[in-house]
Amino acid sequence: MKRRTYLRAAGAGAAVGLAGCLGGGDANPNVSLSRPDRENDVSSEDLPYPAWGQQVPDVTLSDPIAGIEVSVRDIDVPHFHTYFFTNCMTVCPVLISALREVQIHSVSEGYADEVSFYPITFDPARDDADAFRAEADQMNVDMDAGNWHFLRPADESEAKSVVEDQFGVFFEKNEPDDEGNYMFTHLGLISLVNGDGYVERTYRGNQPDEQSLIDDLTALREA
C-alpha cells in the first residue's frame, strides 16, 4: 500500500483521529522496544508516518518561546511528538493532556531531564509564542521543567511540507466561517522517538492511553 494513499484514506476516515497503537517489522538494531502487535500484519512501510524502526524527518523547526531552532534528529533523549493546533477543541487537547500527564510523571519521579516533549503545530498563522504560552497555561503544562518545546513551521507551506509530507500526518483546513474562523480535519497521532531519532512507538487515535505512554517510555529508558 502506498504511504500517501494510506494517509488520505486514514484522514478521510477519521476527522479527529483513529484509535490504535502501531509499529511494524522484524528485529531492528535502531530501536530498543520490540515490534508492536498490529492488525493485518501492516508493516511500517505501509504507514504514512514514520513508525517503529524508522527515522524521523531531517527537519528544523522554531521554538518561538525559547527563541531557538530545533533539529528534530538531533534531540538526544527519548522524546514525544504530537501534531496539533491551539484552536482545536476536539482531539488536540486530549493529545496535549496525555503528554502533560507523562511530563507530570517525569517531574514527580525525578527523570524530567531524561525525556522531552515537542508538539508541532500545523497552524503557524495563529500559533505563535503567545498562543503557545496560553496553551501551556490552559493545559497546565510545566514550562519551567525545561523539557517541553512547542515547535512551529515558518508558514502554511512549510507546515504542509513538514507535518503532512514528511511526518505523514494528514490535516486539511476547513472553510472559514462568516467571521473568518477556521478549524482543521486531521489525524490524531503521538510518536515516541529514541535519542537516535528512530521511532519506537506510534499511538494513533483520539484517546491515547497515558499509562501506555509512561510504560513504553519507562521500558525505553531502562533498555
Side-chain angles (χ1 to χ4, degrees):
M1 183 182 296
K2 298 294 186 182
R3 291 171 70 94
R4 267 317 257 198
T5 302
Y6 191 102
L7 182 152
R8 287 293 176 186
V16 297
L18 303 171
C21 177
L22 301 173
D26 298 316
N28 189 312
N30 296 313
V31 292
S32 297
L33 302 185
S34 62
R35 174 189 175 186
D37 294 330
R38 76 165 78 77
E39 296 180 0
N40 301 322
D41 198 29
V42 175
S43 71
S44 294
E45 288 73 19
D46 290 326
L47 300 172
Y49 42 80
W52 182 81
Q54 295 182 320
Q55 199 170 23
V56 294
D58 185 13
V59 298
T60 299
L61 299 169
S62 68
D63 171 354
I65 292 180
I68 61 173
E69 299 291 310
V70 176
S71 174
V72 298
R73 280 193 182 174
D74 291 341
I75 302 168
D76 60 0
V77 296
H79 54 282
F80 291 93
H81 292 295
T82 195
Y83 316 88
F84 81 114
F85 65 110
T86 62
N87 283 274
C88 180
M89 296 180 289
T90 53
V91 66
C92 301
V94 180
L95 299 173
I96 296 296
S97 177
L99 295 187
R100 180 204 62 208
E101 291 304 308
V102 182
Q103 186 196 38
I104 289 171
H105 189 268
S106 76
V107 172
S108 65
E109 297 299 317
Y111 65 92
D113 60 344
E114 299 176 27
V115 63
S116 52
F117 306 85
Y118 293 86
I120 302 172
T121 182
F122 43 80
D123 186 19
R126 296 183 293 187
D127 288 346
D128 55 13
D130 289 340
F132 288 148
R133 290 189 186 96
E135 178 81 356
D137 289 343
Q138 182 176 355
M139 300 302 299
N140 296 315
V141 171
D142 185 358
M143 298 302 292
D144 292 332
N147 62 0
W148 190 288
H149 304 270
F150 290 107
L151 299 184
R152 177 183 180 273
D155 51 33
E156 184 175 329
S157 176
E158 187 178 41
K160 204 73 171 176
S161 171
V162 168
V163 177
E164 183 166 277
D165 295 341
Q166 298 186 67
F167 275 100
V169 176
F170 166 82
F171 69 93
E172 186 171 57
K173 186 176 179 180
N174 299 335
E175 286 297 321
D177 62 21
D178 292 340
E179 297 180 351
N181 299 314
Y182 57 88
M183 304 294 281
F184 289 87
T185 299
H186 66 96
L187 183 69
L189 187 75
I190 291 175
S191 308
L192 171 59
V193 184
N194 64 32
D196 294 318
Y198 288 88
V199 177
E200 297 276 357
R201 286 289 184 268
T202 49
Y203 314 85
R204 197 175 96 203
N206 57 9
Q207 290 293 332
D209 179 52
E210 297 156 3
Q211 193 59 50
S212 293
L213 303 182
I214 292 171
D215 290 346
D216 289 340
L217 173 60
T218 300
L220 177 56
R221 291 175 50 240
E222 296 177 349

